Structure formats: C-alpha cells, structure tokens
C-alpha cells in the first residue's frame, strides 16, 4: 500500500472537539498565554452543528471563564422562572413537593434555558477573537503517536471512494502536531477511547454507563408560551427497572425544548428510546404544550452517566481528557455544560503548566480537578445514578431523597456500576414486546421524518463509517438471540434487518442517516459494530435553536 504523504502543521496545543469543554479550554489557554498557538478542530460542518443538549445552563463556570459574559452578548436570555418534577403514571402526573429540599440538586434558581448550539457558536467567536485557530469540518481520525506519546492528531482523509480507492478529489488529512493535545469529543469519543485503551486510563475505575438523549425543538402559539418553565418527569412510560425520563423547557421566542433520556443499561431488547420519547408526548402533562405547535428540529446524542466512579485517569503522555470524553456530567442535576466548561478550564491550566515547565505529561490535571468544586460536586452525588440501577426507579428515587437530605452526599459508602451497557440486554425469548402507538404526524412522528429535521448528510460515495467487524456474529447473536436490538435503539433508523431467504437475514446499514449519537458503539451486545470517523462536515447540521 502506498504511504500517504501528509502535510504537517505545528501548534503548542491541539484541542479536539468544539463543544463547551473544548472551547473553554482553548479560551482559557489564550487567557493564560496569549502567545501560545492553539488549534481547535471540530468534525461538524460548523461549531454547534453536532451539539445536542436540553439545555439548562448553570452559569457558574461561565462566570469564571468570562466574567463579562453579559457585556459580550452571551445567548443566555431565558432565566428559569418555574420548575416542577413529575412522577408519571399512564394517565396522571404527581408533582414532587418541596423540590428544593427533596431533590436539591434539581433546583434551577438562577439558571438559564438556552440553545447550547448557539452558546457554543458564541464561545467559538470568543475563542477566535483571542487568536484560537478554529477549524470546523476537520475530524480527528487518529492520534499521532511518536515515542509512545501523543504528539498531535491526524485529520480525516477526504475523497476516498466506497471501495477504498482514492477518488479524483482525494485530499489526504493533515498531521496537526502538538506539544499537548486536549481531547474533548463528548461521550464515547473515538480518539478518547483510543487513548484510554493505549495508556490504560480506565484501570481501577467503574465501567462507564450512558444515556441516550433524543430531542425535539417546537414552536408553539404565543399564548401557550411560558418562558422559563422547566419540567422534568420520571416513571411512566418506562418500567421500574429502566432509568430515564423526559424534560420540557420553554425558552426563546415561543420555543419549547423537549426530550427524553433513556439509560442505556436497560435490559428489554424490545425497548426503543425513540418510541418512548414519542409516546411520552401523548401524556396529558406534556401533550398540552405541543397542540397547535410545529416541530422544527430533531436530534440525538449519547451522554456519559457513570459520574464520579467512572472517571478515568485524566492524563496521558502528551495530553489530557476533559468534558464528557471523561464523563464529567452531573446526572442528578441533569447538567453537564458547567462541569464540561470547568474541566476544560482546568485542562488548560494543567497544560499551560506542562508547557511552561517543558513536561511530557500535564500531571497537575488530576490534582487540580480534586481541588476544585467540580470534584466535590460529582463526589456528593456519586450514589444517586447507581441507586436506580441497583434498586429500580421507585426505590432509587427514595434513596436519592435520603442521600440528598440526610447524608448530603457524604454517605460512608459508594455504590458501583458493575457492567458495561452492552452486557445488560436479555435474550428476546425472555423479554416482553412493547406495543408502541403509531405516529399521528401531529404530536408523534416516525424516524424518517425526524432525521430529515436534523439536516443529516453524508457524501454517498465515501466508505460506510458504520461496519460490522464480523457479519456472522450479527446473525447468530444480534438476530437469533436478541432480535436485532440495533433496529430499535438507533434513533435515526440506520439499522434494518432484512429477510433474504426462508431462514436467512441480513443487516442493512443506512449510514447516511447517522446522527453521530454513538449508541450503536455503546449498546451492541458483542461490540461488533465499529463506528469510524466519517468525512469532515458529515452528520447532522443542527441550526440555531438546538
């Protein structure tokens, strides 16, 4: 095979990922050392194009990073005015009283409902104003390793044909050399996974566990709009052994952010997170918000839910992990933006010190995290998410209240995550099928029309970026044992099982539909599905509002 000659660019620091963590890291680096050369790459077509979140922002980290954010016209415009937590039965909604006492982590006083994509675009502008070189449409395809240390990243090749040959418009990726590399790719990042495996960063910590967030943005009649309303729910439609729930936020100009998170440690192979999200809209507590409205945007993304117990070692030779790549989401708060930003700032400070002292590894990263409010915040809620896995929804909620009100996060024990999410499915023969309602195309919809609203696109002549490592395993395990769970857990209709003969089945992969949520990379029972980095700019193109 002909060796590809690649152009090289050299920087002091390369940041991979244009989300809150990566942008905060880049900004903080330039604040600390204006002459430091910083390059940030993002696989989406623009900053914010791949961002999916509720989102309610706690402005604590933003205040630290950019104290004058109000003067800089930051897009935090809708302050929380009303909040409620509902326990749902099939027909009723029971409001949890004294929310700030029973679930103090859920309290949103002083927080803002935002479009996180818009916030990231704004952060990108601040980074560029400080001199950060921001390159959207450049995916990090692989780590660039020299002398057993990360010395930068290699961006993806463009113009490779489906058969693997170089097409007429082939452009090789570049080597972006760096003295230090900061990985902030979000949940289940490809380069982050490579770094964890190569340098043993996950030794001695719990497996990471994930949730899948599926989201819609609606425009509703002005007379129904209640800016600042924040509503969360748990209970129905999920059974007692499945973690998850819905959110609904009123923000902006007659906009509603609605979504549903399903814990990916669920066991029923017939469960569909997309369908659970759709049917929750039919509940009286939610339906009234959508009637007369119009669905504008759709998207989905996995989020890291393991918390404190699942945070890996954060440093490796030549770089650090930050944001949801490392798993800094505060699950009980249902917030990860402020923690991602803080971890990015800490990463920048540790990397700055390493550059100043010409060190191979930004060794102070861990100590800096431990000395920050980020560490204590995650430590104090460490038992809440695993309590739901251990005891179920109702007892888990009861324990959460006890942990919050009595122990205040200082219980003398730590509950653990025992299994990866790919290990929890039960065989189809042991599962009850779920009868989901058909879409009415007014309140509820199918996957095809939903993916259309994500503006997802992949050049069709490029190699398929979703592959089976072993086709035979799919037939004998996924189909024969679990009845093709990927056809249900994928929120974009990428996977379809097709009957090709009397007893023959095949898996059809519609890779062009992929919204880069990473669920297949997480939930496949044998980890047989390989999610590869597609060409830059591919995937969803979420507009402002998401």
């Amino acid at each position: 095979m002909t060796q590809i000659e690649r152009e090289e660019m050299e920087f002091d620091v390369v940041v991979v990922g244009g989300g809150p963590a990566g942008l905060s890291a880049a900004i903080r680096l330039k604040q600390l050392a204006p002459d430091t050369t910083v390059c940030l790459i993002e696989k989406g077509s623009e900053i914010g194009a791949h961002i999916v979140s509720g989102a309610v922002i706690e402005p604590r980290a933003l205040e630290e990073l950019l104290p004058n954010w109000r003067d800089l016209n930051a897009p935090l415009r809708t302050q929380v005015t009303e909040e409620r937590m509902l326990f749902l039965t099939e027909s009723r909604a029971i409001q949890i009283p004294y929310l700030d006492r029973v679930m103090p982590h859920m309290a949103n006083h002083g927080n803002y409902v935002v479009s996180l994509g818009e916030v990231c675009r704004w952060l990108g502008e601040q980074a560029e104003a400080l001199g950060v070189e921001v390159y959207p449409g450049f995916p990090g395809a692989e780590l660039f390793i020299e002398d057993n240390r990360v010395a930068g990243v290699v961006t993806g090749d463009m113009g490779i044909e489906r058969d693997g040959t170089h097409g007429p418009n082939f452009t090789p990726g570049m080597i972006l050399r760096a003295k230090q590399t900061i990985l902030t790719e979000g949940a289940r990042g490809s380069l982050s996974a490579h770094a964890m495996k190569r340098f043993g960063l996950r030794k001695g910590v719990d497996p990471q566990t994930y949730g899948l967030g599926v989201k819609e943005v609606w425009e509703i009649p002005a007379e129904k709009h209640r800016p600042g309303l924040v509503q969360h729910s748990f209970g129905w439609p999920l059974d007692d052994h499945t973690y998850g729930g819905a959110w609904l936020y009123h923000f902006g100009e007659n906009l509603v952010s609605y979504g549903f998170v399903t814990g990916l440690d669920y066991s029923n192979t017939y469960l569909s997170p997309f369908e659970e999200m759709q049917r929750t809209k039919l509940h009286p507590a939610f339906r009234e918000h959508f009637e007369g409205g119009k669905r504008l945007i759709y998207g989905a993304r996995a989020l890291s839910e393991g918390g404190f117990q699942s945070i890996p070692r954060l440093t490796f030779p030549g770089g650090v992990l930050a944001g949801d790549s490392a798993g800094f989401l505060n699950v009980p708060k249902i917030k990860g933006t402020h923690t991602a930003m803080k971890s990015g700032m800490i990463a920048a400070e540790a990397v700055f010190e390493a550059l100043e002292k010409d060190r191979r590894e930004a060794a102070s990263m861990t100590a800096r995290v431990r000395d920050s409010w980020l560490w204590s915040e995650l430590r104090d809620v460490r038992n809440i998410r695993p309590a739901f896995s251990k005891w179920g929804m109702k007892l888990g909620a009861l324990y959460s209240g006890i942990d919050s009100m009595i122990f205040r996060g200082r219980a003398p024990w730590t509950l653990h995550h025992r299994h990866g999410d790919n290990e929890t499915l039960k065989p189809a023969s042991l599962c009850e099928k779920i009868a989901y309602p058909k879409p009415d195309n007014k309140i509820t919809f199918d996957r095809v029309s939903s993916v259309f609203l994500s503006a997802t696109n992949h050049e069709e002549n490029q190699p398929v970026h979703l592959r089976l490592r072993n086709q035979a395993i799919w037939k004998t395990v996924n189909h024969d044992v679990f009845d093709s769970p990927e056809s249900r857990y994928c929120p974009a209709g990428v996977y379809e099982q097709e009957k090709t003969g009397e007893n023959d089945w095949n898996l059809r992969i519609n890779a062009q539909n992929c919204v880069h949520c990473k669920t297949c990379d997480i939930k496949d029972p044998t980890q047989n599905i390989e999610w590869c980095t597609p060409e830059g700019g591919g995937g969803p193109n979420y507009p402002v509002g998401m």
Side-chain angles (χ1 to χ4, degrees):
M1 185 180 238
T2 304
Q3 183 72 28
I4 298 175
E5 291 191 13
R6 302 184 186 278
E7 292 185 16
E8 296 189 12
M9 298 177 68
E10 191 165 342
F11 301 91
D12 293 320
V13 181
V14 168
V15 181
V16 182
L23 290 164
S24 298
I27 290 170
R28 187 72 181 124
L29 273 165
K30 295 299 277 188
Q31 290 173 337
L32 292 167
D35 293 333
T36 300
T37 56
V38 181
C39 169
L40 182 146
I41 61 173
E42 160 60 38
K43 65 182 173 67
S45 61
E46 63 176 331
I47 297 296
H50 287 181
I51 295 294
V52 181
S53 180
V56 173
I57 285 187
E58 181 178 310
R60 183 177 188 177
L62 180 60
E63 293 276 5
E64 295 180 10
L65 180 66
L66 296 166
N68 61 333
W69 60 269
R70 292 175 180 83
D71 297 331
L72 294 171
N73 199 28
L76 281 71
R77 307 182 188 97
T78 306
Q79 196 159 15
V80 175
T81 57
E82 178 185 357
E83 57 184 315
R84 55 196 183 197
M85 169 64 75
L86 307 176
F87 173 73
L88 301 186
T89 67
E90 190 168 354
S91 59
R92 295 183 59 210
I94 302 169
Q95 186 164 341
I96 305 299
Y98 308 111
L99 183 64
D100 58 337
R101 299 181 197 174
V102 178
M103 296 181 177
H105 308 294
M106 298 288 296
N108 282 292
H109 178 74
N111 296 335
Y112 293 81
V113 186
V114 302
S115 157
L116 188 57
E118 187 179 7
V119 171
C120 286
R121 289 175 175 89
W122 174 81
L123 285 172
E125 293 170 0
Q126 310 313 307
E128 288 186 303
L130 291 170
V132 177
E133 295 188 41
V134 178
Y135 296 137
F138 281 74
E142 58 184 285
L143 297 174
F144 180 62
I145 296 178
E146 282 186 337
D147 301 324
N148 199 35
R149 74 182 295 273
V150 174
V153 300
V154 181
T155 65
D157 299 328
M158 302 285 283
I160 296 179
E161 299 292 320
R162 278 184 177 267
D163 61 4
T165 60
H166 296 170
N169 298 316
F170 173 73
T171 304
M174 291 189 296
I175 296 172
L176 302 178
R177 285 184 172 271
K179 297 173 184 175
Q180 290 287 322
T181 301
I182 302 177
L183 300 179
T184 61
E185 304 169 280
R188 201 68 168 202
S190 302
L191 301 189
S192 304
H194 182 192
M196 289 182 203
K197 184 176 181 179
R198 182 180 181 98
F199 299 106
L201 305 185
R202 296 211 62 84
K203 290 181 180 177
V205 302
D206 286 6
Q208 186 59 264
T209 188
Y210 299 88
L212 172 60
V214 187
K215 176 182 176 179
E216 295 174 345
V217 176
W218 285 65
E219 183 179 30
I220 65 172
E223 63 270 17
K224 299 179 70 171
H225 195 237
R226 297 160 63 181
L229 170 64
V230 167
Q231 176 175 298
H232 295 102
S233 74
F234 68 105
W236 186 90
L238 300 177
D239 63 36
D240 193 57
H241 301 290
T242 304
Y243 182 80
W247 79 79
L248 184 143
Y249 310 147
H250 286 230
F251 74 110
E253 295 294 326
N254 303 326
L255 297 178
V256 167
S257 166
Y258 165 76
F260 197 95
V261 175
T262 305
L264 290 179
D265 58 351
Y266 68 84
S267 60
N268 187 342
T269 191
Y270 290 110
L271 186 145
S272 165
F274 173 85
E275 298 291 356
E276 299 294 347
M277 177 265 218
Q278 292 297 325
R279 69 170 171 171
T280 300
K281 286 185 286 182
L282 300 175
H283 193 281
F286 286 89
R287 181 170 191 144
E288 62 176 327
H289 296 271
F290 304 111
E291 290 178 332
K294 179 183 179 182
R295 192 174 66 142
L296 303 178
I297 316 173
Y298 170 83
R301 187 67 170 95
L303 51 147
S304 301
E305 291 189 341
F308 186 81
Q309 299 89 315
S310 299
I311 296 173
R313 184 157 61 88
L314 299 173
T315 65
F316 51 87
V320 298
L321 298 171
D324 219 17
S325 282
F328 281 114
L329 177 75
N330 185 324
V331 179
K333 273 191 176 183
I334 321 179
K335 291 177 184 62
T337 301
H338 70 295
T339 50
M341 292 180 68
K342 181 63 174 178
S343 71
M345 294 160 62
I346 294 171
E349 291 158 5
V351 162
F352 170 70
E353 181 182 337
L355 293 174
E356 286 279 284
K357 298 181 178 179
D358 196 24
R359 289 178 177 168
R360 199 175 144 87
E361 191 162 335
S364 69
M365 172 79 176
T366 300
R368 289 172 182 273
V369 169
R370 288 177 179 270
D371 290 340
S372 72
W373 56 258
L374 174 60
W375 188 257
S376 57
E377 179 174 314
L378 295 183
R379 180 198 61 211
D380 290 353
V381 299
R382 70 191 183 281
N383 287 328
I384 293 179
R385 174 63 179 91
F388 285 87
S389 296
K390 186 177 180 66
W391 293 307
M393 186 69 70
K394 297 184 184 68
L395 291 180
L398 178 62
Y399 173 85
S400 297
I402 295 171
D403 191 279
S404 299
M405 291 189 294
I406 298 176
F407 295 111
R408 299 186 180 277
R410 304 305 173 97
W413 57 78
T414 295
L415 303 177
H416 289 279
H417 305 288
R418 300 297 184 186
H419 308 286
D421 293 337
N422 65 299
E423 303 175 80
T424 58
L425 277 183
K426 293 179 180 178
S429 60
L430 300 179
C431 295
E432 183 178 349
K433 290 187 177 182
I434 303 173
Y436 291 113
K438 291 183 178 180
D440 59 19
N441 296 316
K442 295 180 181 178
I443 305 294
T444 60
F445 303 88
D446 61 13
R447 284 179 175 83
V448 174
S449 63
S450 298
V451 174
F452 177 79
L453 293 178
S454 71
T456 294
N457 181 62
H458 296 88
E459 292 293 335
E460 293 193 9
N461 62 339
Q462 68 177 292
V464 174
H465 69 280
L466 300 165
R467 307 165 191 162
L468 296 180
R469 293 184 172 94
N470 187 327
Q471 180 72 33
I473 289 178
W474 176 81
K475 173 63 172 65
T476 56
V477 176
N478 291 51
H479 178 268
D480 293 352
V481 178
F482 297 107
D483 196 10
S484 190
E486 62 282 342
S487 64
R488 290 176 291 275
Y489 63 59
C490 175
V494 169
Y495 301 99
E496 296 180 84
Q497 55 176 337
E498 296 180 317
K499 192 168 187 177
T500 56
E502 187 173 344
N503 294 307
D504 293 327
W505 291 82
N506 184 46
L507 181 66
R508 179 177 179 179
I509 301 178
N510 305 304
Q512 69 274 16
N513 287 2
C514 178
V515 295
H516 297 197
C517 72
K518 298 295 185 74
T519 305
C520 57
D521 197 67
I522 296 165
K523 190 63 176 173
D524 183 68
T526 62
Q527 301 290 270
N528 189 38
I529 296 175
E530 182 181 12
W531 196 100
C532 304
T533 306
E535 287 188 357
N541 284 279
Y542 300 128
V544 171
M546 186 52 132

